[in-house]
Amino acid sequence: MGRERLSMIYSSDYELQSLFDILSSSNLLLCNPLTGLVTVLTELGDAVESSLEDIQARFAAAGQVSFLFWLDASTDIGCRLRAVAGQTLVCEEFNLGLLTDSERTLVLSALLKLSLARARKNSLVLFTFDSSGTCEDADWDETAVHGLADLQVYPEIIGLPKPIPAELQPAFAGYEVLKLDSCWLYYRGALPITTS
């Protein structure tokens, strides 16, 4: 199996409903558009019929839950919500590995919209996208809590609620920077998402 393409959003003062509201406004649906079913993933990876209320209850009870969003009746995006141990942070992990380039661009645009909404509410801590899986060994929980200094390699997109510290600027020499609302977005190469 190849490296996974992941996007992560770390937030404080977390509101679960905002995840569903913002992504549905970008046509990422919790219900499969053909069957109308909501799908949760068990710890063994089995897909089980669920509901929004069940997802909320599982997250409240266990501090984590995995489920699917849908682009269309046959294209799903795995999402895992988890509370970061010992912190008042929640991480949303999105697996984009099986999407085409155009599908990935669409989903990344939705995730950027979600990140910007969190930044406007001062709850965004960190947004990342790693298209090649080069950062899969990074401890993102540690990074979200303590900052970027301990990373050896950086993802192709990283969003922060403030500019990177001056001492890290040499590590970001090949990156472009774009400030959107209250989010500083650093990226390498062409930005693979729309910002409007």
Side-chain angles (χ1 to χ4, degrees):
M1 180 185 284
R3 293 177 180 263
E4 295 186 30
R5 296 178 171 115
L6 289 177
S7 186
M8 298 177 157
I9 302 172
Y10 283 83
S11 304
S12 61
D13 300 324
Y14 188 73
E15 296 177 12
L16 182 58
Q17 188 61 48
S18 69
L19 168 69
F20 303 114
D21 292 344
I22 293 170
L23 293 188
S24 68
S25 73
S26 297
N27 295 318
L28 292 177
L29 306 174
L30 186 59
C31 296
N32 181 297
L34 180 63
T35 66
L37 298 178
V38 174
T39 304
V40 76
L41 302 173
T42 68
E43 290 181 9
L44 298 175
D46 296 326
V48 177
E49 185 177 340
S50 184
S51 66
L52 173 58
E53 295 75 20
D54 180 48
I55 290 172
Q56 292 170 324
R58 286 174 186 253
F59 182 67
Q64 67 176 2
V65 63
S66 296
F67 55 93
L68 299 177
F69 279 107
W70 299 89
L71 277 175
D72 56 46
S74 60
T75 308
D76 60 71
I77 299 105
C79 179
R80 177 180 173 217
L81 301 182
R82 60 183 178 80
V84 178
Q87 303 294 324
T88 57
L89 296 179
V90 170
C91 178
E92 299 158 325
E93 300 175 359
F94 300 89
N95 188 337
L96 313 181
L98 298 178
L99 301 179
T100 65
D101 288 344
S102 61
E103 291 168 343
R104 194 172 300 114
T105 297
L106 179 72
V107 173
L108 280 172
S109 295
L111 297 182
L112 178 59
K113 181 178 177 182
L114 179 61
S115 297
L116 292 177
R118 298 269 166 75
R120 281 191 290 275
K121 292 184 177 183
N122 296 316
S123 66
L124 177 70
V125 175
L126 178 67
F127 167 77
T128 70
F129 172 64
D130 183 9
S131 68
S132 61
T134 56
C135 296
E136 68 181 357
D137 294 330
D139 187 340
W140 289 112
D141 289 1
E142 181 75 12
T143 299
V145 173
H146 296 293
L148 300 174
D150 293 332
L151 289 180
Q152 301 300 312
V153 62
Y154 295 92
E156 71 184 77
I157 303 174
I158 195 159
L160 301 163
K162 58 186 178 183
I164 59 166
E167 65 270 15
L168 289 181
Q169 287 180 2
F172 284 84
Y175 284 73
E176 300 291 329
V177 62
L178 178 64
K179 185 175 187 297
L180 297 170
D181 294 330
S182 301
C183 183
W184 294 82
L185 191 66
Y186 296 84
Y187 60 96
R188 286 193 310 249
L191 188 63
I193 47 184
T194 60
T195 57
S196 56

